[in-house]
DNA sequence: GTCCATGTTCTTTA
DNA sequence: CTAAAGAACATGGA
């Protein structure tokens, strides 16, 4: 469920209530969602103070006062919420950190499908090896450098966290609509102008989504258990057969890289268009290996 | 029962 | 060998 805007919203909700607080107790559910598997968090966390929380891609990085770190990834259905200790514990709650200094609070990790989990990093391991640039601050030439080596469809490339960090199925589709690029276009065939437009579109869409506290399709909740609002502003995602909000053409749904892909055949064109709307042939032959 | 789902990783295929 | 497609993971809702 959670892509960059949702993860950022969760982090923003945690910051004022968790940073600076000391872990008093750790409770785990019946399933081991900690990596490396079998590692006990209790002796590493109890008595430690959370000194920092930040986001990298879709990962939430917690730093302790001893400089050890751990990452929580929400996977598809993960929720990280702040609750009163006496609030009912929902099913599929896998980890509860209790803070008793000042107002008693619990940080709860719940994840029905268990694609998410906790990764202990210790004091040396980096949270983002292999991970691509942060989309909110990347420059278009960086994006171009990561797209040029692959012939995969641009939609598929955007989902690859080594290409860009934090984009998932919703915001890939929404960004490509904003940039008016056909999702099937081979990544290496985008013109510099298209990459520039895509880079701007990604930032615009992600910032707008963060402003609306992310998209809730089903499971996503912020740290306070509240739903996001950006799903109401989706232009293509989950809108197959509905009229395009821009040109009224029915939104098309196809499958790319095994993931449903939504786009407007009227607005998102496979080739470049000039200012007058005439199509321009850019099929420069990409020699086959 | 069937299909589908906001993600990632391993396996198979070309 | 590499790149890309496909399957797998686990659960629940339509």
């Amino acid at each position: 469920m959670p892509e960059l805007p949702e993860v950022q919203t969760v982090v923003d909700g945690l910051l004022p209530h968790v940073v600076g607080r000391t872990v008093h107790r750790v409770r785990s559910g019946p399933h081991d969602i900690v990596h490396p598997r079998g590692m006990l968090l209790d002796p590493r966390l109890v008595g430690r103070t959370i000194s920092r929380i930040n986001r990298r891609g879709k990962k939430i990085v917690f730093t302790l006062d001893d400089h050890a770190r751990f990452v929580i990834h929400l996977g598809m259905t993960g929720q990280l919420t702040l609750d009163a200790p006496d609030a009912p514990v929902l099913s599929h709650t896998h980890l509860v950190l209790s803070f008793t200094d000042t107002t008693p609070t619990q940080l709860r990790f719940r994840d029905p499908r268990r694609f998410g989990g906790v990764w202990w990093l210790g004091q040396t391991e980096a949270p983002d090896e292999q991970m691509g640039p942060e989309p909110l601050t990347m420059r278009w030439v960086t994006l171009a450098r990561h797209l040029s080596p692959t012939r995969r469809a641009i939609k598929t490339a955007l989902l690859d966290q080594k290409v860009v960090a934090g984009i998932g199925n919703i915001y890939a589709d929404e960004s490509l609509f904003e940039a008016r690029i056909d999702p099937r276009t081979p990544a290496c065939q985008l013109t510099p102008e298209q990459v520039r437009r895509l880079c701007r579109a990604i930032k615009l869409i992600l910032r707008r989504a963060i402003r609306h506290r992310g998209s809730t399709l089903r499971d996503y909740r912020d740290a306070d258990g509240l739903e996001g609002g950006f799903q109401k502003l989706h232009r293509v995602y989950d809108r197959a057969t509905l009229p395009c909000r821009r040109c009224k053409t029915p939104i098309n749904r196809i499958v790319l890289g095994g993931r449903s892909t939504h786009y407007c055949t009227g607005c998102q064109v496979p080739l470049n268009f000039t200012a007058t709307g005439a199509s321009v042939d850019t099929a420069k032959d990409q020699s086959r290996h």
Side-chain angles (χ1 to χ4, degrees), chain A residues 170-190:
Chain A
I170 296 174
Y171 300 106
D173 283 2
E174 294 296 321
S175 297
L176 287 167
F177 175 86
E178 178 67 30
R180 299 192 194 183
I181 294 169
D182 187 308
R184 300 165 298 180
T185 313
C188 61
Q189 283 181 20
L190 292 191

Side-chain angles (χ1 to χ4, degrees), chain A residues 7-8 11 15 19 52-56 59-63 69 127:
Chain A
V7 176
Q8 185 65 54
V11 168
L15 284 174
V19 171
R52 182 161 187 246
I53 304 174
N54 65 294
R55 178 194 59 72
R56 176 72 170 99
K59 295 176 175 174
I60 303 173
V61 186
F62 292 80
T63 306
R69 289 183 292 193

Side-chain angles (χ1 to χ4, degrees), chain A residues 75-96:
Chain A
M76 199 87 104
T77 55
Q79 300 172 346
L80 201 51
T81 55
L82 290 168
D83 300 276
D86 59 353
V89 177
L90 301 180
S91 59
H92 305 291
T93 296
H94 304 299
L95 184 70
V96 178

